[in-house]
Amino acid sequence: MAAAGGAGGGGDQAAAGGNRRLKYISLAVLVVQNASLILSIRYVRTLPGERFFATTAVVMAELLKGATCLLLIFLQKQGSMKQFALLLYDAVVVQYMDTLKLAVPSLIYTLQNNLQYVAISNLPAATFQVTYQLKILTTAVFSVLMLRKSLSRLQWVSLVLLFAGVAVVQVEQGQAGGGSNPGAAAHQSYAVGLVAVVVSCLSSGFAGVYFEKILKGSSASVWLRNVQLGIFGTLLGLLGMWWAEGAAVAAQGFFHGYSPLVWGVILNQAFGGLLVAVVVKYADNILKGFATSLSIVASTVASMYLFGFRLHPPFALGAGLVIGAVYMYSLPKAGPPLGPRQEPTALPPLGKEPSEPGYPPKLACKEKGS
């Protein structure tokens, strides 16, 4: 009996050790994906020479994600083309009203992706990374208003700190002229970048909560939902490309300015979310909040070496407030909540975890922008 108990204890210890390693791997993947996407977009958008069209990159990322989801559904049907086709026909054509519901979040996500390119092209990567955490505030507000969710006192305090930290960073960056190498700012507008990131945060919060609301009670798989999102996302992305850069794309070509680095950014956007989806189930809320905080630090340090970003004490103070607020917001609730009763949470879209780190851990699937 003692031997059996010892064997069982050894197995439990081995399992605990394996889970601990998976958590550390998950933390590393989340930090690298969060930081690398922003840094790589900033890098390719500030290189000398002809720029690629950001609207075409958004369309390509949508196509790659949609194709990947279709492949995963096909594999789930064990390679049966008949079952695969019947499932898509029923979900997209027969239940067309259900599909049409996703047009609104898809439109907003497409807008958000394009705005992220605008913001990162005009803001230092570290400034964008800090400011973009306002999506936590917008998601929390929309969750309380639209889903009647409740927030703990600690979460409300963290939101106030978050806003204060972002405000300090914006005041400091406005006075410092963006905080980047002056030679790199010839074709950049800090005001345009700031407006783009704020609108992106608002759209991220609303789209995430709206998507969650329409998915309540739905039995469709997350891969299928993202195929439906991808249909509208691709069409709306093409429409946005035609409206914003149609003449230039027609004259210079869809893939104008593409390089291996640009393809790397697109692949990171398209498949980074899938990679996160694989590891996020091993990461609890505290770990995800910690990963976000580390990605801010990583982006700031990398920006100093890659882009000549100058770190001033006010920026460090504001970024510290944001990092602390993100971590505090992800902590488990303690004590009675403030606000209406907590509602169950639906799955987020591919590669986009809910912008609110306090959500229960779940499989996230769709990355729209970041």
Side-chain angles (χ1 to χ4, degrees), residues 108 112 132 134-135 138-139 142 195-208:
I108 298 174
Q112 178 189 344
Y132 194 56
L134 281 177
K135 64 184 180 181
T138 60
T139 301
F142 283 121
V195 171
V197 73
V198 170
V199 176
S200 182
C201 289
L202 287 170
S203 63
S204 174
F206 178 78

Side-chain angles (χ1 to χ4, degrees), residues 159-326:
L159 291 177
V160 173
L161 291 177
L162 174 68
F163 185 82
V166 171
V168 170
V169 166
Q170 295 311 316
V171 171
E172 188 274 336
Q173 289 290 284
Q175 293 175 347
S180 60
N181 191 333
H187 304 290
Q188 299 173 24
S189 169
Y190 190 83
V192 170
L194 180 58
V195 171
V197 73
V198 170
V199 176
S200 182
C201 289
L202 287 170
S203 63
S204 174
F206 178 78
V209 173
Y210 182 89
F211 188 77
E212 178 183 349
K213 186 174 183 178
I214 65 176
L215 284 187
K216 287 186 182 297
S218 172
S219 59
S221 74
V222 69
W223 308 117
L224 184 57
R225 284 301 189 190
N226 283 288
V227 169
Q228 295 170 315
L229 272 176
I231 293 172
F232 291 110
T234 302
L235 294 176
L236 292 168
L238 288 170
L239 182 62
M241 181 192 71
W242 172 81
W243 180 77
E245 300 172 317
V249 171
Q252 298 178 324
F254 187 92
F255 297 107
H256 173 74
Y258 275 49
S259 67
L261 287 174
V262 175
W263 279 110
V265 169
I266 293 172
L267 291 174
N268 193 351
Q269 262 194 317
F271 301 123
L274 290 174
L275 183 61
V276 170
V278 174
V279 302
V280 76
K281 61 181 176 181
Y282 300 111
D284 56 23
N285 293 322
I286 297 177
L287 195 67
K288 286 184 282 185
F290 191 50
T292 301
S293 301
L294 282 180
S295 68
I296 294 175
V297 175
S299 296
T300 303
V301 174
S303 294
M304 294 170 66
Y305 288 97
L306 292 175
F307 311 118
F309 180 78
R310 290 193 285 270
L311 181 64
H312 299 291
F315 182 93
L317 172 62
L321 287 173
V322 171
I323 290 171
V326 170

